[in-house]
Amino acid sequence: MVQSIIRVTRLLLPVLALCVTLGVMIRAFRRRPAHGFGHRPWFLFLALTLFGVMIALCITNETWWTEPLTLMLFIAFLAVQWMSFVFAGRGGMRAELTGFFLTDLGLMVAALNDTGAFHTQLICVAAGIAGFYILRFFLRNPAFMEYLRIPAAVCCLGLLVACLIFADPVNDSKSWITIAGFTFQPSEIAKVCYVLAAAIPERKRGGFKELLIFTVFSAASVLCLVVMNDLGSAVVFFCGFLAAAAMRKWGYPAAAAGLLAGGGGGYLALNLSGRAAGRFATWGKAWEFANEGGYQQTRAMAAAASGGLLGLGVGQGWLRDVYAASTDLVFCVICEELGLIVAICAILMIFLTCVQAVFAARRGRSPYLVSCACIAAMILAIQAALNALGSVDILPFTGVTFPLISQGGTSAMTCWWLLAFTGTEFMPAFHAEEEEETPSEEEVEEE
Amino acid sequence: MKLRWRMLPMAFAAIILLGGIAMFSAGIVLQGEEWAMQPWNDTVCEDGVLNTGSVTDRNGLLLTTAQGGERRWIGDELTRLSMLHIVGDPEGNIGTGVLSAYPEILAGYDLLNGLYSADYSGGTLRLSADTELSRTAYEALEGRNGAVLVCNYETGEILCAVSGPSFDPADPAAQIPDGAYLNRGISAVYPPGSIFKIVTAAAALEQIPDVLDRVFWCEGGCYVGDDYVSCSGYHGEVTLEDAFAVSCNCAFAELALELGGETLQEYADAFGLTVPQQIGNAETAAGGFDAYPDGTSHLAWSGIGQATDLVCPAAFLRVVCAAANDGVAPDLTLLRNGNPNGGGERLMPGDTAAKLLEMMDYAVSYTYGDWSFPDLEMHAKSGTAEVDGEEPHAWFAGFVTNPGKPYAFVVILENGGSGAEYAGAVANTVMQQAVFG
């Protein structure tokens, strides 16, 4: 029975993943909002649902009738997908499709790790999806969101400083805070606050003073993360800063200055942090240090190659037994069990989020929304790149999570919130008169 | 500046992401097999040992298979003993066995499915070796240490690679004799004795223009300086053909002195006797040949296959193949159809090979006797390699030219005595099976 399910699903899952990715790709390049049949992509959603059902079958095989909770919860998650589909607005479901696809994979990883992790992940995903729709609702009124910039900045710095003070060091890094038995990662929530705070304001845009304040705020955030020894997140924030700075007047010089400062800071951090330096020492030479610094990367690459294009089947891999496989090495776990095709689809989903952000600049009615989409997409892309390419020794192995796939409640929740900022250009505006606005090649002229 | 031009950093990050994944995908396509075939890969290994895949002989007879991580063997013990060194042992101690040399085929790796196989049985590897021939060869060894190699000199397929002593891989409690992990045909080197005269003769045919017209004088030995080089008998006046047939040390000592150490070394190198030779993924042991100064008895002995000469039986099989195959040694392979394009290396010109073939034919009819090899069109050279304080090693190397049976062979019996008598007898038994079996 188990083998029959594996035989069928390892062939169907890549096909369904390709269908979903192709559908999202077509919608990402669409110049106008979909109407009529295209508004609700039934075929695409059926493929996504079937993908989810197959994953659910695989992770609950043999135990679905003795321990039905996991299966029921997964079905509930699929029901949420359908609700969001039925009530989808003109936005076109693009960010949601990306989110649901990656979350299916993330839930698979968590469920195969242990049942408790699956439940935690599902609760956090639920909070993430709820936050996604709340944020989407408020993003319809960019003018209102701009008022949240200062509170968001305070919140971002507050969370990072709190982490610095209260967090217990784990693996030399002070990233985790435990309150009343719940452990969470404040730097993940700070990412969302950073997007809100760093986006270009509609008024005062291009002002030198605003640029200065923004730069100081970004530098403080990155510095906090460096002191926390969370260098992966520091790189993610720094790239968010580059994306946000480039959108401002005088932004490119500021970004260049930031790169210089970041490069110098990175050099210092490498010299001060033995752990980070150790990871850099084996970068690109993982096979030479296969049983030392390159242990995780070589195992990840061997496992990824074992999967071929179609994978060994869900739950049939061994990489899950290696330390941090469900977080840092998760890309290779997907390669091993679901194959290279599904893993590339996951990467393409993140890439298409960036494509949407670029297209949003042509169509977006609000520079604030456009810059939100751009920063959020940058953060997601950098996280995906650091995770996937770090685990296969193309980039340094930094231990950053893969958006929505890596096991981790806070990360899954905040990645959904980050997704809320993307794909907003066809979203109906809050005001009736803006609803009739036709997307155009809008430009923001330098003042 | 247009807003979209202000998105370059993000676009750059997206391109890094996509470019990096393209690099990784290229790595999987080009090096996936190498990445996957690691001893720590629990999909196909257990405690660093490959626990998947099946091996059959050239006729499809299943010799060993692994299912669910447990390796099973063919029921017949003689077959297990005779095929051990070509199949290999589960622990990977026999490095030239296919279980060690071809993990990627046994694991069943391919780009589409990776290491997935529906019944976890991995891939199937079909040997070029023949079970019946190997059983005959193992029995012919009669418990002596040594090796029997037989190959097709046109395709390079190894039909038999039996080595003694052997042990039963299906019986974990079996007492493993000393040296049983060594495949004596592929991984060992021995002093070659008179079979090296094939190399010296080839060098003389090419380097000394009138060598076929010469007459050598043998009176049971000769002096080189103050050292005496003994011969196997009193041969009197002999031509090169006669000297080759009766294995006259005096004639070959004279030829070696005339050719010089460096020329002989060039031939030993060119014939692949001093460097490891590839047999698919396996590798032969490297032999040795020292170029001694002109006029010394060591140089004379080195042309006779003594002194410090060392030869791997499988490497010498290539030389024999070249003599039989118009000067070209085919790429040896342990796999059925393992050399589909007929790849090989020319070791000598065609006319040298033709002359060697004549001389080996004459050696059989004149010295060993055609009656020793009934119905076989045998061409061979024996060797009795002296070993200090022990019985000499017995060699017999050659080939048959029976229609449709292009088989070359090398037999070595460690401390086996006379090459022509003992190794020749083993060769006859094995080749009778190979040709008429």
Side-chain angles (χ1 to χ4, degrees):
Chain A
M1 176 71 177
V2 178
Q3 290 308 317
S4 305
I5 290 175
I6 287 169
R7 259 176 230 167
V8 174
T9 54
R10 67 183 288 277
L11 295 176
L12 280 180
L13 282 171
V15 174
L16 293 169
L18 277 174
C19 287
V20 173
T21 310
L22 201 63
V24 172
M25 193 179 289
I26 291 166
R27 299 174 81 76
F29 286 96
R30 186 167 281 170
R31 299 174 71 87
R32 292 183 179 280
H35 290 285
F37 183 76
H39 175 50
R40 289 201 177 86
W42 289 96
F43 174 74
L44 195 52
F45 222 79
L46 275 173
L48 182 65
T49 305
L50 204 53
F51 185 82
V53 168
M54 297 255 168
I55 296 268
L57 269 177
C58 289
I59 60 177
T60 57
N61 64 38
E62 281 191 330
T63 63
W64 64 270
W65 57 279
T66 52
E67 296 170 36
L69 187 61
T70 304
L71 185 63
M72 284 165 65
L73 286 172
F74 213 105
I75 289 170
F77 175 63
L78 294 178
V80 170
Q81 291 188 18
W82 273 92
M83 277 171 63
S84 74
F85 177 63
V86 171
F87 295 108
R90 254 178 65 192
M93 294 291 297
R94 290 177 305 175
E96 290 93 319
L97 286 167
T98 302
F100 287 133
F101 177 76
L102 297 179
T103 303
D104 281 343
L105 297 176
L107 289 174
M108 180 201 91
V109 170
L112 290 173
N113 206 7
D114 74 88
T115 315
F118 172 74
H119 294 160
T120 310
Q121 188 86 357
L122 202 64
I123 290 166
C124 291
V125 165
I129 294 174
F132 174 91
Y133 283 108
I134 292 168
L135 262 174
R136 273 291 173 88
F137 177 77
F138 285 110
L139 282 171
R140 289 166 67 189
N141 187 354
F144 168 74
M145 291 304 284
E146 281 184 38
Y147 287 115
L148 294 178
R149 289 180 68 238
I150 293 172
V154 171
C155 195
C156 174
L157 283 176
L159 280 166
L160 294 176
V161 171
C163 205
L164 210 52
I165 297 168
F166 299 112
D168 298 321
V170 177
N171 289 337
D172 300 333
S173 165
K174 296 178 79 172
S175 306
W176 299 88
I177 286 184
T178 306
I179 297 175
F182 290 100
T183 304
F184 69 107
Q185 221 174 343
S187 61
E188 294 289 337
I189 301 171
K191 279 177 199 161
V192 182
C193 299
Y194 183 81
V195 175
L196 284 169
I200 321 177
E202 191 77 50
R203 291 150 293 160
K204 302 183 201 170
R205 72 166 174 252
F208 185 75
K209 189 179 161 192
E210 196 274 335
L211 177 68
L212 196 66
I213 294 170
F214 154 73
T215 307
V216 170
F217 156 67
S218 301
S221 305
V222 173
L223 202 63
C224 280
L225 288 160
V226 171
V227 176
M228 283 156 59
N229 211 5
D230 189 354
L231 296 182
S233 293
V235 172
V236 171
F237 267 73
F238 180 71
C239 291
F241 158 74
L242 291 181
M247 303 202 78
R248 291 168 156 77
K249 189 180 179 186
W250 305 109
Y252 275 117
L259 267 178
L260 274 176
Y267 180 77
L268 272 181
L270 281 181
N271 284 311
L272 293 177
S273 165
R275 186 160 168 254
R279 288 188 167 189
F280 264 82
T282 54
W283 174 31
K285 301 176 220 160
W287 291 105
E288 285 175 43
F289 300 96
N291 289 319
E292 296 145 20
Y295 183 91
Q296 284 169 294
Q297 296 95 312
T298 46
R299 270 61 183 173
M301 287 156 86
S306 304
L309 297 182
L310 301 178
L312 298 175
V314 175
Q316 303 302 305
W318 54 270
L319 185 62
R320 281 180 288 115
D321 300 331
V322 174
Y323 176 70
S326 60
T327 51
D328 301 356
L329 307 179
V330 77
F331 175 74
C332 290
V333 171
I334 299 294
C335 283
E336 184 191 23
E337 301 199 357
L338 296 175
L340 186 64
I341 292 174
V342 175
I344 288 178
C345 286
I347 294 287
L348 279 177
M349 286 291 197
I350 301 285
F351 176 75
L352 291 171
T353 305
C354 297
V355 171
Q356 285 173 22
V358 173
F359 276 71
R362 289 209 319 210
R363 313 167 184 134
R365 61 178 173 273
S366 156
Y368 179 81
L369 286 183
V370 170
S371 57
C372 276
C374 178
I375 302 166
M378 175 68 144
I379 289 175
L380 292 171
I382 284 293
Q383 278 196 211
L386 286 176
N387 178 283
L389 305 182
S391 63
V392 297
D393 204 31
I394 292 175
L395 290 180
F397 188 53
T398 48
V400 170
T401 55
F402 195 104
L404 293 170
I405 300 184
S406 283
Q407 187 185 326
T410 328
S411 170
M413 182 171 71
T414 52
C415 284
W416 267 103
W417 296 351
L418 286 174
L419 271 181
F421 295 113
T422 67
T424 52
E425 68 273 18
F426 296 146
M427 201 173 64
F430 187 73
H431 301 296
E433 61 273 19
E434 280 181 288
E435 213 163 67
E436 300 304 318
E437 187 183 354
T438 309
S440 62
E441 289 262 346
E442 189 173 331
E443 296 174 4
V444 179
E445 298 295 335
E446 302 282 356
E447 288 180 23
Chain B
M1 191 185 282
K2 287 183 178 178
L3 190 56
R4 62 173 182 264
W5 288 114
R6 295 199 166 280
M7 309 185 102
L8 281 181
M10 188 209 63
F12 189 61
I15 287 166
I16 286 180
L17 174 65
L18 213 57
I21 289 306
M23 266 179 77
F24 170 65
S25 305
I28 292 267
V29 172
L30 300 174
Q31 291 176 283
E33 190 171 301
E34 192 185 325
W35 288 358
M37 295 317 303
Q38 302 296 333
W40 61 70
N41 192 333
D42 288 351
T43 306
V44 287
C45 295
E46 192 174 330
D47 299 329
V49 175
L50 191 74
N51 64 358
T52 185
S54 304
V55 179
T56 72
D57 83 340
R58 67 180 291 109
N59 303 311
L61 177 69
L62 187 63
L63 300 170
T64 177
T65 185
Q67 276 192 326
E70 189 186 344
R71 182 157 294 284
R72 295 173 186 192
W73 296 83
I74 189 169
D76 178 53
E77 186 184 358
L78 179 59
T79 303
R80 295 196 298 269
L81 289 166
S82 60
M83 298 296 277
L84 172 72
H85 290 90
I86 201 164
V87 174
D89 63 320
E91 282 76 34
N93 293 314
I94 301 172
T96 51
V98 293
L99 288 181
S100 296
Y102 290 93
E104 69 280 5
I105 295 179
L106 293 164
Y109 181 88
D110 67 79
L111 179 63
L112 184 67
N113 294 299
L115 293 174
Y116 173 84
S117 61
D119 54 359
Y120 297 96
S121 59
T124 299
L125 188 146
R126 193 165 185 177
L127 294 173
S128 56
D130 182 81
T131 300
E132 280 306 316
L133 186 60
S134 301
R135 286 161 54 101
T136 303
Y138 188 80
E139 285 183 319
L141 281 177
E142 293 175 340
R144 290 170 288 190
N145 290 0
V148 180
L149 295 171
V150 181
C151 80
N152 181 317
Y153 55 69
E154 289 175 355
T155 64
E157 286 185 356
I158 290 183
L159 304 172
C160 167
V162 167
S163 175
S166 184
F167 65 93
D168 186 355
D171 180 8
Q175 189 72 30
I176 297 174
D178 280 348
Y181 288 131
L182 186 72
N183 184 337
R184 283 168 161 72
I186 297 177
S187 305
V189 289
Y190 299 93
S194 291
I195 60 164
F196 194 81
K197 286 172 182 160
I198 294 176
V199 180
T200 309
L205 285 167
E206 290 172 26
Q207 301 296 327
I208 304 173
D210 62 342
V211 70
L212 290 172
D213 302 327
R214 284 208 196 169
V215 176
F216 303 90
W217 176 251
C218 170
E219 50 185 26
C222 58
Y223 276 95
V224 179
D226 294 335
D227 297 323
Y228 187 68
V229 175
S230 60
C231 193
S232 54
Y234 183 95
H235 299 121
E237 285 187 345
V238 285
T239 61
L240 180 64
E241 287 100 327
D242 297 333
F244 187 86
V246 297
S247 207
C248 175
N249 287 352
C250 293
F252 276 87
E254 192 179 327
L255 287 173
L257 291 168
E258 188 170 343
L259 288 164
E262 288 184 4
T263 304
L264 282 174
Q265 190 175 39
E266 276 173 29
Y267 274 83
D269 291 344
F271 285 4
L273 297 175
T274 55
V275 288
Q277 298 296 317
Q278 288 301 127
I279 304 181
N281 287 2
E283 201 173 63
T284 67
F289 185 91
D290 293 318
Y292 288 101
D294 289 346
T296 59
S297 60
H298 281 94
L299 172 59
W301 280 117
S302 70
I304 301 167
Q306 293 289 164
T308 51
D309 297 3
L310 288 172
V311 159
C312 170
F316 206 83
L317 184 64
R318 292 178 75 245
V319 177
V320 180
C321 284
N325 193 34
D326 198 31
V328 177
D331 293 337
L332 297 181
T333 175
L334 296 168
L335 309 185
R336 180 88 193 259
N337 299 324
N339 186 15
N341 302 321
E345 183 188 4
R346 177 166 287 284
L347 300 188
M348 60 187 81
D351 50 355
T352 305
K355 192 65 202 168
L356 286 176
L357 184 145
E358 268 180 41
M359 289 161 69
M360 290 166 82
D361 185 33
Y362 182 58
V364 171
S365 55
Y366 184 78
T367 306
Y368 315 131
D370 286 328
W371 50 267
S372 301
F373 311 101
D375 301 325
L376 290 175
E377 293 175 22
M378 179 68 89
H379 307 66
K381 179 79 190 85
S382 66
T384 306
E386 300 296 333
V387 188
D388 284 343
E390 292 179 53
E391 279 288 298
H393 296 321
W395 287 88
F396 206 73
F399 52 89
V400 295
T401 51
N402 293 55
K405 306 289 180 184
Y407 301 149
F409 63 88
V410 170
V411 176
I412 165 82
L413 301 177
E414 259 181 46
N415 309 117
S418 160
E421 187 177 350
Y422 297 107
V426 172
N428 176 52
T429 307
V430 173
M431 295 316 287
Q432 292 291 344
Q433 170 67 31
V435 175
F436 306 112

